[in-house]
Amino acid sequence: MAIIGAKEEHVDPRLTRIAKADTIPWYKKPNLRFLYLILVPTGLGVEWTSGFDSSMMNSLQAVKSWTDYFDNPTSSRLGLLNAMYSLGALMAIPFIPTVSQYLGRRRTILLASLIMCLGAGLQAGSINSDMFLASRWVLGFGIPFAIVNASSMIGELSYANERPIMTSLFNASWFVGAIVAAGTTYGTFQMSSTWAWRLPSLLQLVPSFFQLTFMHWCPESPRWLVSQDRSEEAFAILQKYHSEGPDGDEFVRLEFAEIQATLAQEKELASRFVWADVVRDPPMRRRFMIAAIVGFFTQWSGNGLLSFYMKKILALVNITDNRTVQQVILSNTCWGFINAVPIALIAPRFKRRKMFLTCTIGTAVVYVVWTISSARATIENSSRAAIPVLVFIFVYSPFYNIGWNALAYTYMVELFPFRQRAKGIAVEQLTVRFAVFFNTYVNPIALDGIGWKYYIVYCVWILVEILTVYMLFPETHNRTLEELSFMFEGKEVQDKVAKNVDKVLHVELETIQRRGSKDGGAIAVESRA
């Protein structure tokens, strides 16, 4: 329970109990196995694009042909080149809920992938910095459409037992794109031609190409189908992918009933104006406030420095060789992937608040030691302090990944009911992009201006994060999406939904019995004949 805000109430976890009793692993269920495999390129692959972009822009600063071609950009110009990506995303966010509701998860991701392929092509073919800036804007405009809908689609399609892990793996997939970008740039940075940066830029369209290629085999979100009065299609998808357990038919009937009852209640409460839900009532305001906080914290926990300005960080401890910088970026990115995947598999098994607190306290300790080591390197003019800085750059990664990487989208999917989920993740993306825009533009200027003293800002800020998590964040662990839908609205609303679930189940059972009677009668007629 969070300390501040209304106490969250949870319904009777009937669906969770059935899912927990299912001990058959996912890889022994043919349909579910196929679903998770197809979600790799179509859903998890969306984050490859984000990781590729951050890592590529980080690495290009140590590519001589790129800096020469763009006239050795100053700190403010470099910040603008990075920040333009977030500016494009900020301008896309107001349209995400409407487009997502109209097109659905699959087609919105396809639209976003087409936009990002266009942006990658423009970036690779840039003939001046203005064209490069424009390509960054186009890429940024496309990515939030894909992120919001891919993270939602993964959560809405996955079986209850694996859903938290699948949504946690979504953010961990960032490192796949980051490693490819860092590896590609490390392989091309010594090329004298402009292909040293054009080739990595062109490869940025590959993840989007995967979504365009494989989306045909990925099912639509059953919740979106129900919201569009396409309940038969939704039930067929649930039946195919969620009924392979020992009580599969019972699970699917109850899940379908909960989705129908929950969406009906959401429709009754929803505001007509798409963004009015943000301030509709105290429970919804609390959800959107937490979403905004999570988005801001994921980018303002010090990770922005490592993602975009490793060259400047290493220069503060007298590491300036371009090859060494590229090696550190590549090795740190690989290390991030090595620890992020196991953490994504483990962290969702524990309570969310404890994991977020472990994350924030750990990153606070790392930043304090990192700041002290960088200060010594500058004050003593010694390279010995570079060793602890490098060590704690690597130690930072697992602590950050425990919370802000592994659980950010898991938490967002759990926090919001279906009709507000796209809006909730869009608000999270809004603060993500505001934070990234600020960081990418201000960080290089601050590092050049005050050096290691800038780290003190993050040391203080992460203490604010610890307090905020402790005071505000609710617990959502070990519940299905429908069981969490009205946890802030109180028992009265939850009881109403529970009654509607029972009504839907009763109708479904009566329909099954009528069909059984007709089939039995037909069999009896055949026997008499």
Side-chain angles (χ1 to χ4, degrees):
M1 182 186 75
I3 306 302
I4 293 178
K7 178 182 177 180
E8 56 272 14
E9 300 276 354
H10 294 294
V11 299
D12 181 22
R14 288 186 288 176
L15 201 61
T16 297
R17 283 198 293 266
I18 298 173
K20 293 302 177 186
D22 180 3
T23 57
I24 302 175
W26 64 269
Y27 51 83
K28 291 186 178 179
K29 300 175 179 178
N31 292 332
L32 192 61
R33 182 173 65 236
F34 173 82
L35 175 65
Y36 290 159
L37 289 175
I38 202 64
L39 282 174
V40 172
T42 57
L44 300 179
V46 166
E47 272 295 278
W48 299 347
T49 302
S50 290
F52 194 103
D53 186 83
S54 296
S55 183
M56 183 192 72
M57 290 303 295
N58 198 5
S59 299
L60 286 183
Q61 296 167 52
V63 175
K64 189 174 185 300
S65 70
W66 184 80
T67 56
D68 289 346
Y69 194 85
F70 294 109
D71 299 322
N72 196 22
T74 61
S75 294
S76 59
R77 186 67 173 177
L78 182 61
L80 184 60
L81 287 169
N82 279 318
M84 189 58 69
Y85 188 80
S86 293
L87 183 61
L90 285 170
M91 297 183 73
I93 285 168
F95 308 105
I96 291 174
T98 302
V99 173
S100 303
Q101 188 60 31
Y102 180 73
L103 294 180
R105 306 299 189 207
R106 295 170 70 252
R107 288 187 293 173
T108 304
I109 295 170
L110 289 173
L111 174 64
S113 299
L114 287 171
I115 293 172
M116 288 186 287
C117 284
L118 173 63
L122 288 171
Q123 186 172 256
S126 296
I127 58 175
N128 53 46
S129 61
D130 289 340
M131 188 172 175
F132 196 85
L133 281 170
S135 71
R136 306 285 303 146
W137 186 94
V138 173
L139 283 163
F141 187 84
I143 192 64
F145 285 101
I147 287 176
V148 169
N149 285 276
S151 57
S152 298
M153 183 176 73
I154 291 168
E156 291 162 6
L157 281 171
S158 298
Y159 186 58
N161 287 344
E162 293 86 31
R163 176 188 52 77
I165 293 172
M166 289 296 292
T167 49
S168 293
L169 284 171
F170 179 70
N171 236 6
S173 300
W174 184 94
F175 289 97
V176 176
I179 290 171
V180 173
T184 303
T185 311
Y186 180 68
T188 64
F189 86 100
Q190 286 186 316
M191 294 171 63
S192 57
S193 71
T194 59
W195 281 106
W197 59 269
R198 292 189 192 277
L199 183 59
S201 296
L202 187 62
L203 288 177
Q204 192 163 350
L205 64 77
V206 172
S208 298
F209 180 76
F210 279 130
Q211 279 101 65
L212 293 171
T213 303
F214 292 101
M215 191 62 78
H216 173 75
W217 292 279
C218 182
E220 181 55 89
S221 163
R223 290 162 180 83
W224 182 77
L225 291 171
V226 171
S227 74
Q228 299 296 305
D229 296 324
R230 294 162 62 180
S231 296
E232 289 186 6
E233 295 175 57
F235 186 82
I237 290 171
L238 294 173
Q239 185 71 33
K240 181 176 181 178
Y241 296 109
H242 291 183
S243 66
E244 295 175 294
D247 298 309
D249 289 336
E250 181 186 359
F251 180 89
V252 169
R253 283 198 300 272
L254 181 55
E255 182 180 30
F256 185 62
E258 286 192 355
I259 290 172
Q260 286 187 308
T262 301
L263 288 178
Q265 183 64 29
E266 288 180 36
K267 188 176 182 179
E268 184 179 315
L269 295 173
S271 304
R272 289 187 177 181
F273 175 59
V274 68
W275 284 107
D277 285 323
V278 175
V279 293
R280 185 181 75 199
D281 51 36
M284 203 54 70
R285 287 196 293 271
R286 184 180 175 192
R287 285 188 179 93
F288 281 100
M289 180 179 68
I290 294 170
I293 288 170
V294 169
F296 198 77
F297 285 5
T298 57
Q299 301 303 321
W300 245 78
S301 298
N303 55 307
L305 290 172
L306 297 173
S307 297
F308 289 99
Y309 300 112
M310 185 73 83
K311 181 176 173 64
K312 290 183 178 295
I313 289 170
L314 296 178
L316 291 176
V317 289
N318 303 312
I319 298 175
T320 56
D321 178 66
N322 280 344
R323 178 180 290 275
T324 304
V325 172
Q326 294 283 359
Q327 289 172 340
V328 172
I329 292 172
L330 178 58
S331 57
N332 187 50
T333 306
C334 291
W335 164 238
F337 177 74
I338 290 169
N339 69 73
V341 173
I343 287 171
L345 298 175
I346 296 169
R349 303 176 189 275
F350 296 91
K351 291 185 176 181
R352 309 294 184 241
R353 281 168 49 79
K354 288 183 179 179
M355 291 296 96
F356 280 125
L357 286 171
T358 302
C359 162
T360 49
I361 293 170
T363 53
V365 172
V366 167
Y367 248 88
V368 169
V369 179
W370 179 358
T371 302
I372 293 170
S373 300
S374 297
R376 286 190 58 192
T378 302
I379 295 168
E380 298 175 4
N381 196 24
S382 169
S383 60
R384 288 181 301 173
I387 296 174
V389 168
L390 286 173
V391 168
F392 278 92
I393 283 174
F394 281 77
V395 172
Y396 175 88
S397 179
F399 280 114
Y400 177 86
N401 288 339
I402 286 172
W404 303 131
N405 190 288
L407 295 179
Y409 289 106
T410 300
Y411 206 50
M412 289 298 96
V413 170
E414 292 173 344
L415 201 62
F416 285 91
F418 169 79
R419 289 184 183 276
Q420 287 77 36
R421 189 165 293 134
K423 282 173 270 188
I425 301 176
V427 167
E428 184 260 356
Q429 282 291 296
L430 179 70
T431 53
V432 162
R433 301 305 164 182
F434 268 125
V436 172
F437 184 85
F438 177 85
N439 279 340
T440 50
Y441 192 76
V442 172
N443 281 347
I445 300 172
L447 286 171
D448 286 347
I450 58 175
W452 66 267
K453 295 176 184 177
Y454 185 52
Y455 299 152
I456 298 173
V457 174
Y458 286 104
C459 292
V460 175
W461 176 254
I462 296 173
L463 295 178
V464 175
E465 291 185 358
I466 296 170
L467 184 64
T468 304
V469 169
Y470 181 75
M471 299 289 282
L472 285 179
F473 281 31
E475 187 54 68
T476 59
H477 177 247
N478 212 20
R479 299 279 173 160
T480 66
L481 297 184
E482 275 62 47
E483 289 166 359
L484 291 167
S485 289
F486 300 106
M487 62 178 173
F488 296 144
E489 273 75 6
K491 202 168 186 321
E492 184 179 343
V493 174
Q494 293 183 351
D495 288 343
K496 184 177 179 181
V497 174
K499 288 178 182 177
N500 289 336
V501 170
D502 291 335
K503 287 179 183 178
V504 174
L505 279 174
H506 183 69
V507 171
E508 287 180 9
L509 289 172
E510 283 186 343
T511 303
I512 292 169
Q513 288 170 357
R514 283 197 300 270
R515 287 176 181 171
S517 298
K518 288 180 181 179
D519 292 342
I523 291 169
V525 170
E526 283 185 20
S527 299
R528 285 196 297 272

